Amino acid sequence: METNTPLVSIIIPCYNDFDYVETAVKSAYHQTYKNKEILVVDDGSDLKTKTKIEDLKYYIDKILVQENKGQSAARNFGIQKAEGTLVLVLDSDDYFDPHFLELAVPEALKPNVSLVTCWARCFSNTQDWIYKPKGGTLLNFLYSNASIGNALFYRKECGKVGGYDEHMRSGWEDWEFYIRLMALGGLCIVLPKTLFNYRKRTDSTTIRANQHKFKLYDYIFNKHRDLYTQHFTETIDFFLEKLRREESEKIKNTRRLEYRLGKMLLYPLRLVKSLWS
């Protein structure tokens, strides 16, 4: 039985997500795939959230508590205490469709597969859209994340690459982890179904990461300098394409009516300034 239906450990780190953690936990509990365990890692949450997690203990196999160390440390703590062959990480403000594991585990059992993800519904109070990650090999992960952050992988392979980087508390830790995971030579499979729901919050890790993206790029590119050197041509192409897009956007902006009107309105002021100087 274990060969075809290996134990899956679902790791749910939680930090002050009182409003959403119940939905996340129950989405794990109601997976149609039966051979699973659910671990919630309380990452130093407030009393209100701790009480909510305790109220949900019927749906949880292990409640782990640590002082606040960040999402990477919480995930690593959960993985250390997990017993499953496979690990599924789930952020406490998001949730999976009940059939995700039922469809994902058979894909994970195929030869040379390291990661299984799916399409994601991204939603907020004002927007709702579908994100379709690329998946594939390491090359698809070197310059952007080709998977969603909540995905299925082997616990043993996670151990080989050292887990999540606990220094990365500003975001993109899942992308950086996947780079190391995919460098082992495996493949990321994307299920062509919308089986994950990502809550787009104004205070989300993704929003914070975008505010620090240049520092994060610098950290990741330098940490994996050898990989980018091995793929030197692709790296140069990536940066050249990025410059082309930025230049194209700049030209597009200068042609907009608002830009031209603003330039006309500011011209007299600039002229006066130049005369005075």
Side-chain angles (χ1 to χ4, degrees), residues 195-208:
L195 301 169
F196 181 73
N197 297 273
Y198 171 72
R199 198 182 304 273
K200 193 82 171 175
R201 295 164 57 181
T202 55
D203 61 342
S204 71
T205 305
T206 303
I207 298 295
R208 293 197 300 272

Side-chain angles (χ1 to χ4, degrees), residues 1-8 32-36 85-86 105 109:
M1 181 179 174
E2 175 69 18
T3 304
N4 296 320
T5 57
L7 179 65
V8 177
T32 54
Y33 184 87
K34 299 303 181 186
N35 196 17
K36 60 185 182 289
T85 301
L86 291 161
V105 170
L109 296 178

